[in-house]
């Protein structure tokens, strides 16, 4: 059975939506996501670094459309692991685990890997929104479109824009 590795933030969890909401709450400024193409998140969201360290940030992130149904399907057909680099944000570890339990109850604790670097992760397929995570992966690489990666062209990645698209491939 093929092993599928799926990232959380930006793939399952809608980090951009959360950052927009937190920015609006703190500064009153409404940031348009479609205007952020090619911009690193740290530049796009002036208070983003503060927000990702805030208690509750990762626990209350909205689910990306289509991810629940797609991951339930993938979980039934493949050896699925959710892998998230959370060590940089210590609050996120418990929050990510609780978020997964709430929104993806069919994913067991044994399928969750919260780590520092994804360089040690092995599998057949990885779905991630960051090239730095895909670059060290030996298997098939799917880059999940987010504003920060939209301008990246790399023949080593297969670009996917939605969970519906991923389901049609897998």
């Amino acid at each position: 059975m093929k092993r599928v590795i799926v990232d959380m933030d930006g793939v399952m969890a809608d980090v951009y939506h959360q950052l927009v909401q937190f920015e609006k709450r703190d500064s009153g400024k409404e940031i348009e996501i479609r205007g952020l193409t090619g911009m690193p998140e740290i530049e796009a969201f002036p208070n983003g670094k503060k927000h990702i360290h805030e208690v509750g940030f990762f626990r209350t992130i909205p689910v990306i459309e289509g991810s629940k149904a797609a991951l339930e399907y993938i979980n039934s057909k493949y050896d699925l692991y959710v892998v998230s680099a959370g060590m940089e944000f210590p609050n996120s570890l418990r929050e990510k685990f609780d978020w997964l339990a709430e929104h993806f109850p069919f994913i067991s604790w044994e399928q969750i890997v919260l780590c520092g670097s994804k360089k040690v992760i092995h599998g057949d397929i990885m779905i991630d929104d960051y090239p730095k995570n895909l670059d060290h992966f030996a298997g098939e690489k799917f880059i999940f479109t987010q504003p920060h990666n939209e301008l990246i062209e790399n023949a080593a990645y297969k670009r996917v824009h939605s969970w519906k698209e991923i389901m049609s491939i897998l």
Side-chain angles (χ1 to χ4, degrees), residues 9-102:
D9 302 324
V11 177
M12 298 169 68
D14 194 344
V15 176
Y16 274 85
H17 177 83
Q18 188 80 327
L19 285 166
V20 165
Q21 295 307 310
F22 274 58
E23 193 64 41
K24 185 176 180 183
R25 179 199 71 192
D26 288 2
S27 71
K29 184 178 178 187
E30 188 136 2
I31 296 173
E32 291 288 329
I33 293 174
R34 63 179 171 257
L36 304 178
T37 300
M39 192 181 299
E41 291 164 316
I42 197 80
E43 288 176 29
F45 299 98
N47 296 302
K49 196 165 193 149
K50 177 184 92 165
H51 293 145
I52 59 177
H53 288 280
E54 189 174 320
V55 172
F57 180 86
F58 290 96
R59 182 64 183 94
T60 59
I61 290 178
V63 175
I64 288 183
E65 183 181 343
S67 62
K68 282 184 188 180
L71 286 165
E72 196 157 13
Y73 165 78
I74 291 167
N75 194 44
S76 71
K77 192 174 175 183
Y78 296 92
D79 187 21
L80 172 66
Y81 287 88
V82 174
V83 178
S84 187
M87 301 309 288
E88 187 178 353
F89 317 110
N91 290 333
S92 78
L93 299 173
R94 182 75 216 189
E95 292 186 14
K96 287 181 179 199
F97 182 80
D98 291 343
W99 184 88
L100 283 166
E102 177 185 347

Side-chain angles (χ1 to χ4, degrees), residues 156-168:
Y157 315 142
K158 177 166 183 51
R159 182 167 293 279
V160 289
H161 302 283
S162 69
W163 279 101
K164 184 178 181 180
E165 188 176 346
I166 291 169
M167 283 190 52
S168 72

Side-chain angles (χ1 to χ4, degrees), residues 131-143:
K132 70 179 181 182
N133 297 323
L134 295 168
D135 288 342
H136 300 283
F137 188 73
E140 194 173 354
K141 305 166 188 189
F142 291 81
I143 190 163

